[in-house]
Amino acid sequence: MKILGINAYHGNASAAVVCDGRLVAAVEEERFNRVKYAAGFPAEAIRYCLKEAGITLGEVDHVAVPRNPYARLGTKLFYAIRMPSFARERAKVLVKFTGIREALAAAFDVHPQKIKATFHRVEHHQAHLASSFFVSPFEEAALLSADGLGDFASSMWGTGRGNRMEINDAIAFPHSLGLYYSAVTQYLGFLKFGDEYKVMGLAAYGEPERMEAFREIVQFSPNGGTFGFKLGLDYFTHHRTGPEMSWAESDKTPVLGRMFSEEMGKRLGGPARQPEEPLEQRHRNLAAALQARLEEVYLGMLRKLAAKTKAKAVCLSGGVAFNCVANGKIFDQTPFEQVYVHPAAGDAGLAVGAAYYIWNQILKKPRTFVMDHAYWGPEYTKEEIRRAMDASDVAKGGYCVMELPEPELMRRAASIIGDGKILGWYQGRAEWGPRALGNRSIVADPRRPEMKEILNRRIKHREIFRPFAPSILAEKTGEWFEKAHPSPFMTLAYAVRPEKRDKIPAPTHVDGTGRLQTVTREANPRYHALISEFERQTGVPVVLNTSFNDNEPIVCRPEEALDCFLRTKMDALVLGDYLIARTEPRSVISNR
Ligand SMILES: [Fe+2]
């Protein structure tokens, strides 16, 4: 039984293939077309997934699309009458959705009737919930999708048991924790899609101020009819104008329209910050309050969810589930003892969720798969890597290139990191989701406080307030962090133990936390070996890990890794079994 999940015409377009209940491949379209958060139809992602599964489009039994135009039809019609332009936009998307079969046929150059698969529509949040529960290790769990907006709802909760999910409640448009965060993010002068995560980093530099205002901007829902919250709509515009999301440059990068009203400025003490204006302490404090209020509401919802379900485990998805700072507080502030966050908790993950919704919920098949690693994307052969090197400037001289057996490769790579150099680390299959987890990573020495500034200046060109993340040997987590619960997908932030903070200053955020990746030998043997070797050489079982890119989607092919290495000031690159260094060999590749 072969199921193709497709997230199309929506940010983070993606595809996934599930064969007989096992995930075979999952990837975002942005990795191929090189447009961050790309929307549109994910033809290349589908092509890759089918190739990885060794099947043709004609052999697919089911196609699952995570959108149901008929969900919350009453609410949609109510707003369509009030917002005709918004209704027109949605109608256009609907037309595209009804043409998924045709789009697939066109992409694969076959007649639509040659596609034998049954097509399914799965409601957005049910696909989110399925993406986390059906691939989690839990037999029973509480489920929460905390999100911006999808199928006219922002959040949904339920319970999962065996191969069934039961939906209990949802919060409908216009009330949305994700849109709340986006609106205040815009007010603070960060206007790009995805900038919410920058503001989450900024929040650690402030002290919450005007909390009473934020408690009006997002209010706990008093009627008990939902488990959550409502927005103080005076501070927003999206309920009047529609949540405008357009796709710049012909259906590519998503762009959000302005969502906050003049009232927000009045209540928060001044006009919105323009992107080019300097960041002041007031902005940091407002970011801290934004985050603090999110945590109050999010953790409050989780407490209610725990009380209603009596579950000890919770599965999280939706864009808000990427708030690793809030997630890290779940263990102390809710009764939940176990947490699973899908590595692609945002809308990319809908492709996997929709496919598993069909397999488990619709076809009632038993669960046999746990997503315990995130390496579901493309891999390139040694020959392909060699060809990419031969075709690049690396072959023109001035670089030291060595093919090394694994122990030697690890020894030299770890010593390069320990010498304070920046190392590109490219191995195996690409990660699913927005985090680099040791296959498409840039790694550096966590012991050096200056590494953050060096990485930013030489390679990443990011705002200085954004933290870098640590990868730690899973078995050492409790020695270095105040929590030891696994965080394999970098979706939880824990406090670094106070006595360890000055040992790993580079990936320790200003508030003493780290958005850690716990690395097991089973999930990624080579990355585990690298960190183990770094520990052997330095006594520290941690490396700084940031994604292998420079303001672009994470590199996918070896050509892109080489290109990023060559155009930035990275010192060395490990590409499969090859070590490439840009300076005179002995100075970089010391033989420790
Ligand atoms: Fe979503």
Side-chain angles (χ1 to χ4, degrees):
M1 179 76 66
K2 295 157 186 83
I3 306 173
L4 169 64
I6 303 174
N7 179 41
Y9 310 124
H10 203 80
N12 297 305
S14 62
V17 165
V18 173
C19 292
D20 296 327
R22 302 197 69 77
L23 183 65
V24 174
V27 68
E28 295 93 331
E29 186 73 1
E30 66 161 31
R31 305 298 160 92
F32 298 107
N33 72 6
R34 311 303 301 156
V35 176
K36 216 166 178 179
Y37 308 118
F41 189 77
E44 291 309 310
I46 295 167
R47 210 180 301 283
Y48 158 70
C49 288
L50 294 178
K51 188 173 147 231
E52 188 68 40
I55 58 173
T56 63
L57 186 59
E59 292 172 89
V60 172
D61 300 295
H62 297 273
V63 174
V65 179
R67 184 154 187 156
N68 184 353
Y70 303 105
R72 291 169 207 88
L73 202 52
T75 319
K76 283 176 186 166
L77 288 172
F78 175 77
Y79 281 99
I81 292 163
R82 292 170 49 164
M83 300 182 288
S85 64
F86 177 53
R88 275 194 298 277
E89 281 305 306
R90 291 194 72 85
K92 278 190 218 158
V93 174
L94 181 58
V95 169
K96 283 183 178 170
F97 263 86
T98 49
I100 289 267
R101 179 188 290 269
E102 286 68 26
L104 260 178
F108 285 82
D109 201 19
V110 295
H111 193 279
Q113 284 172 349
K114 290 269 187 234
I115 303 173
K116 301 287 181 229
T118 308
F119 282 67
H120 305 260
R121 289 180 180 145
V122 182
E123 195 272 344
H124 185 101
H125 294 282
Q126 297 197 39
H128 270 315
L129 297 181
S131 80
S132 58
F133 177 59
F134 288 135
V135 302
S136 78
F138 310 136
E139 177 62 20
E140 268 188 51
L143 318 178
L144 176 65
S145 165
D147 205 6
L149 184 66
D151 276 332
F152 247 58
S154 72
S155 312
M156 184 175 278
W157 68 277
T159 45
R161 220 165 262 118
N163 65 347
R164 301 288 299 160
M165 298 190 314
E166 221 171 84
I167 307 305
N168 294 78
D169 208 348
I171 296 179
F173 179 85
H175 304 289
S176 163
L177 267 189
L179 295 186
Y180 151 71
Y181 216 97
S182 300
V184 181
T185 293
Q186 289 180 344
Y187 171 80
L188 291 171
F190 296 90
L191 305 184
K192 290 198 190 127
F193 190 83
D195 276 357
E196 293 84 354
Y197 306 109
K198 294 183 187 173
V199 174
M200 182 178 74
L202 181 68
Y205 289 86
E207 284 299 320
E209 68 171 45
R210 296 176 186 265
M211 281 305 290
E212 69 294 343
F214 279 90
R215 291 186 183 118
E216 281 176 24
I217 293 171
V218 190
Q219 305 159 19
F220 279 111
S221 185
N223 62 15
T226 70
F227 69 109
F229 61 89
K230 63 179 186 178
L231 297 183
L233 291 174
D234 289 349
Y235 302 104
F236 297 88
T237 58
H238 63 277
H239 58 296
R240 291 199 296 269
T241 59
E244 296 167 39
M245 192 189 281
S246 52
W247 315 106
E249 295 173 56
S250 63
D251 229 12
K252 286 180 177 172
T253 312
V255 180
L256 278 173
R258 179 179 140 155
M259 282 185 287
F260 62 92
S261 73
E262 295 303 319
E263 288 304 307
M264 186 169 292
K266 287 182 197 162
R267 197 69 180 85
L268 297 184
R273 174 180 165 266
Q274 298 304 308
E276 63 281 4
E277 288 176 355
L279 268 174
E280 296 167 1
Q281 193 53 38
R282 171 179 163 262
H283 301 122
R284 299 183 188 99
N285 292 347
L286 291 175
L290 161 73
Q291 174 68 21
R293 184 57 181 155
L294 177 99
E295 289 172 15
E296 285 180 355
V297 176
Y298 181 63
L299 296 167
M301 285 162 73
L302 286 169
R303 280 192 292 275
K304 288 182 198 169
L305 189 53
K308 284 181 193 234
T309 61
K310 308 280 185 282
K312 291 285 171 231
V314 65
C315 295
L316 299 169
S317 50
V320 178
F322 274 135
N323 196 303
C324 56
V325 178
N327 288 345
K329 296 179 179 173
I330 289 174
F331 303 106
D332 286 340
Q333 297 192 29
T334 82
F336 290 119
E337 295 167 7
Q338 291 179 297
V339 178
Y340 183 86
V341 188
H342 187 94
D347 287 344
L350 295 169
V352 167
Y356 274 96
Y357 187 91
I358 303 308
W359 176 251
N360 293 125
Q361 191 86 354
I362 302 292
L363 301 175
K364 301 184 170 53
K365 300 288 188 185
R367 285 169 61 198
T368 54
F369 172 78
V370 174
M371 191 190 284
D372 48 14
H373 67 76
Y375 312 106
W376 302 103
E379 179 170 16
Y380 297 86
T381 63
K382 193 169 188 173
E383 288 66 40
E384 287 170 311
I385 289 173
R386 185 76 236 184
R387 273 203 299 275
M389 283 167 32
D390 290 345
S392 78
D393 282 356
V394 160
K396 292 183 183 163
Y399 296 90
C400 167
V401 180
M402 290 187 282
E403 184 183 349
L404 296 168
E406 175 148 327
E408 182 67 6
L409 186 68
M410 296 300 140
R411 203 159 53 79
R412 293 191 184 230
S415 91
I416 289 169
I417 301 167
D419 286 343
K421 309 290 183 191
I422 298 173
L423 178 71
W425 181 257
Y426 180 101
Q427 300 289 341
R429 294 185 72 175
E431 293 89 344
W432 167 235
R435 305 281 168 251
L437 298 168
N439 276 6
R440 301 287 187 279
S441 289
I442 294 170
V443 286
D445 190 342
R447 303 169 301 163
R448 298 168 185 259
E450 69 277 13
M451 275 328 295
K452 196 173 152 178
E453 193 270 325
I454 292 171
L455 270 167
N456 264 325
R457 179 163 41 80
R458 288 173 49 188
I459 295 169
K460 300 290 286 188
H461 308 114
R462 313 191 318 181
E463 295 82 354
I464 194 69
F465 59 81
R466 292 174 65 188
F468 287 103
S471 294
I472 183 167
L473 298 178
E475 59 273 26
K476 300 289 169 76
T477 311
E479 292 172 28
W480 289 74
F481 289 86
E482 292 190 350
K483 296 274 175 290
H485 186 282
S487 175
F489 308 135
M490 260 187 201
T491 49
L492 297 148
Y494 301 150
V496 180
R497 286 189 174 279
E499 70 276 16
K500 301 288 192 192
R501 284 178 196 174
D502 63 351
K503 294 192 165 57
I504 50 168
T508 300
H509 201 21
V510 65
D511 60 358
T513 64
R515 185 192 70 195
L516 73 167
Q517 176 198 3
T518 53
V519 182
T520 62
R521 185 174 284 117
E522 295 71 32
N524 193 332
R526 198 164 249 206
Y527 195 42
H528 189 273
L530 174 69
I531 306 171
S532 299
E533 178 59 28
F534 185 77
E535 183 191 29
R536 195 186 66 76
Q537 293 183 13
T538 66
V540 174
V542 178
V543 295
L544 181 155
N545 171 11
T546 186
S547 51
F548 199 147
N549 59 353
D550 168 21
N551 279 311
E552 62 187 324
I554 299 175
V555 300
C556 184
R557 301 179 303 141
E559 287 83 352
E560 288 141 14
L562 282 158
D563 185 52
C564 187
F565 166 69
L566 290 167
R567 77 171 184 272
T568 63
K569 295 185 175 125
M570 218 176 289
D571 296 295
L573 169 62
V574 171
L575 208 54
D577 295 335
Y578 296 101
L579 173 59
I580 305 164
R582 68 167 68 242
T583 53
E584 196 276 321
R586 264 182 292 277
S587 68
V588 167
I589 308 170
S590 64
N591 204 345
R592 195 164 294 195

